[in-house]
Amino acid sequence: MMGPNLQSSGRLRPVDLARAHGLSTQAVRNYEAAGILPAAERTPHGYRTYTPLHAQALHAFLALVPGHGHATATAIMRAVNRDATEDALRLIDESHAQLLDDRRTLQAAEAAVGDLGPVPQERSTTFVGPLSRRLGIRPATLRKWERAGLVQPRRDPQTGYRVYHAADVRDARLVHQLRRGGYLLAQIAPLIAQVRSAGGVAPLESMLRHWRARLTARSRAMLTGAAALDAYLTCRSAPPGDEPSASPTTDPTPPPGGSR
């Protein structure tokens, strides 16, 4: 004798939820354990049963990840599922603020590249302390960049102090902006070498174009995630019986030894 039809009762098995989203049943269970999904009910035999609300939660989470990252998307869903909507909205606001800051960083890097004309033949120099304060970093950071070959200050022959000329300041500015953009020192090194050589700044300009494209994609992903999360919030606040119907299943009866 077959078990109850879960589709008619608005119930979904873990495998139904997993298949609809291209996941494994273990991933669905992990998301529930992490608080991304509301806790599932259990059948008398101990099998998990999900509802359209769980499907909406999973859809919202997967839509949030590309724009906000896995950790922030997880925190947002946990907050929503414990009815702390204000906390979830604050996390979203912080993520948008970070995106805006990243855009400003990109603009600053683009401006720095725009300044990469011939280095002026000026006599003014600076030292590690003043330069680090100008960039808002620690002197140790400048020394780390020097060890990586990203900046090449000369040494005063009498005092032994590091002396940064105009070209060194330019290189330090570029490294600083690119580090703020998330690039590793190993990624920056060949670009700085290109800037110093006759190859010009073409490789750096290409990197900045790709960086801008990633920010644009992230911004669009945030819009997609917002729409999915809003649908989930609406689903959570709907009166009983007004939730969306469950997705069709081909065999709603949990098989022997099936996913629990």
Side-chain angles (χ1 to χ4, degrees):
M1 179 178 179
M2 293 183 65
N5 190 318
L6 298 183
Q7 178 183 347
S8 63
S9 62
R11 300 293 176 178
L12 299 168
R13 303 167 302 172
V15 67
D16 300 322
L17 211 57
R19 286 173 179 168
H21 294 85
L23 302 171
S24 67
T25 54
Q26 185 59 53
V28 173
R29 291 191 292 266
N30 291 344
Y31 288 153
E32 180 191 345
I36 293 167
L37 305 182
E41 295 181 1
R42 298 274 186 159
T43 68
H45 296 288
Y47 293 101
R48 287 178 172 85
T49 62
Y50 295 110
T51 67
L53 182 67
H54 292 89
Q56 196 77 56
L58 183 55
H59 175 68
F61 171 71
L62 295 176
L64 287 167
V65 169
H68 298 273
H70 192 281
T72 299
T74 297
I76 291 169
M77 295 303 297
R78 285 174 174 169
V80 170
N81 290 330
R82 67 172 186 269
D83 293 322
T85 305
E86 289 296 325
D87 289 346
L89 296 177
R90 176 182 53 78
L91 289 167
I92 292 171
D93 291 343
E94 290 174 351
S95 195
H96 278 280
Q98 181 60 57
L99 176 61
L100 179 60
D101 187 61
D102 290 345
R103 287 193 182 280
R104 288 170 175 161
T105 299
L106 172 60
Q107 291 172 352
E110 289 173 333
V113 171
D115 291 340
L116 289 179
V119 177
Q121 299 298 318
E122 54 187 34
R123 295 184 177 181
S124 61
T125 57
T126 189
F127 299 95
V128 63
L131 181 56
S132 63
R133 287 193 293 272
R134 186 190 309 180
L135 297 176
I137 59 177
R138 296 180 302 167
T141 301
L142 275 174
R143 290 191 285 269
K144 179 179 180 181
W145 294 351
E146 181 183 350
R147 290 193 297 271
L150 302 179
V151 290
Q152 299 176 338
R154 298 167 181 80
R155 294 277 186 164
D156 184 282
Q158 295 183 349
T159 64
Y161 292 150
R162 293 171 173 85
V163 180
Y164 295 84
H165 294 269
D168 304 315
V169 174
R170 176 205 64 192
D171 292 346
R173 287 176 57 206
L174 282 173
V175 174
H176 181 48
Q177 299 295 355
L178 292 169
R179 287 292 291 142
R180 290 182 62 196
Y183 289 93
L184 302 175
L185 296 183
Q187 295 172 306
I188 297 172
L191 296 170
I192 295 296
Q194 285 282 354
V195 168
R196 292 181 184 139
S197 71
V201 298
L204 191 57
E205 291 172 341
S206 176
M207 174 184 280
L208 294 176
R209 285 195 298 271
H210 291 155
W211 184 0
R212 179 173 291 280
R214 289 198 303 273
L215 291 182
T216 298
R218 182 178 165 197
S219 186
R220 288 293 301 272
M222 284 182 171
L223 290 177
T224 302
L229 182 62
D230 182 65
Y232 178 51
L233 290 170
T234 300
C235 189
R236 282 179 59 86
S237 62
D242 287 351
E243 301 90 344
S245 60
S247 301
T249 60
T250 55
D251 182 11
T253 306
S259 174
R260 295 177 179 269

